[in-house]
Amino acid sequence: MPFVRIDTLGTDPARLDALGQAVQDALVETLGVPPEDRFQVLTGHDGVTSTLRYGDYPGVRRDDSLVFVAVTMRAGRDADVKRAMYRRIAETVYERTGTEPRNVFVTIIENTSADWSFGHGLAQYAPAGGGPAGASG
């Protein structure tokens, strides 16, 4: 159950949708996330009332087609799985939108099962009196 935030310059709805689907498909492929397990916030910044700031650190030359992808998910995946996820997100974003992989900036925020509520004020992954739940999200 990753929760994904995608920020980019430009407010074209078709590009935002393509970015969201590209990231979702990469998560399905690399993390084993069920295809219908999609929770995303897609934000296009107009460059005037909202914008993005970026530099060339660490030697990666970026431009205004930059995409920030923040993935919040439960902890437990090893570095190889995360590297595969980063690579596949960059590939699918390029395939679907033409955004160069150098412009795809991805971060992961990890947490525990008790840190999720899908609604009804419940911690569905960590019910009261229950042990730890599996890590699909």
Side-chain angles (χ1 to χ4, degrees):
M1 164 8 193
F3 175 69
V4 175
R5 294 189 67 94
I6 299 173
D7 289 86
T8 192
L9 283 172
T11 58
D12 174 27
R15 181 169 185 251
L16 288 171
D17 187 55
L19 289 168
Q21 192 60 55
V23 171
Q24 178 66 14
D25 290 347
L27 297 179
V28 168
E29 289 178 37
T30 60
L31 302 182
V33 171
E36 68 280 2
D37 187 353
R38 183 175 181 178
F39 297 90
Q40 299 179 332
V41 175
L42 310 173
T43 305
H45 300 270
D46 64 12
V48 177
T49 59
S50 65
T51 194
L52 303 177
R53 299 283 185 246
Y54 56 89
D56 293 338
Y57 181 85
V60 178
R61 197 123 181 104
R62 297 175 185 87
D63 60 39
D64 282 351
S65 65
L66 176 69
V67 177
F68 287 126
V69 179
V71 180
T72 302
M73 63 185 188
R74 288 185 287 167
R77 292 172 179 88
D78 66 30
D80 288 338
V81 170
K82 292 174 185 178
R83 279 190 284 272
M85 183 196 75
Y86 299 141
R87 183 174 48 254
R88 193 63 186 134
I89 288 173
E91 290 169 353
T92 58
V93 165
Y94 178 70
E95 291 164 5
R96 310 276 173 78
T97 70
T99 302
E100 294 289 332
R102 67 185 168 84
N103 280 315
V104 181
F105 182 103
V106 182
T107 62
I108 294 175
I109 301 102
E110 294 182 309
N111 58 26
T112 67
S113 295
D115 297 318
W116 295 90
S117 174
F118 297 93
H120 297 289
L122 302 174
Q124 285 86 350
Y125 282 160
S136 71

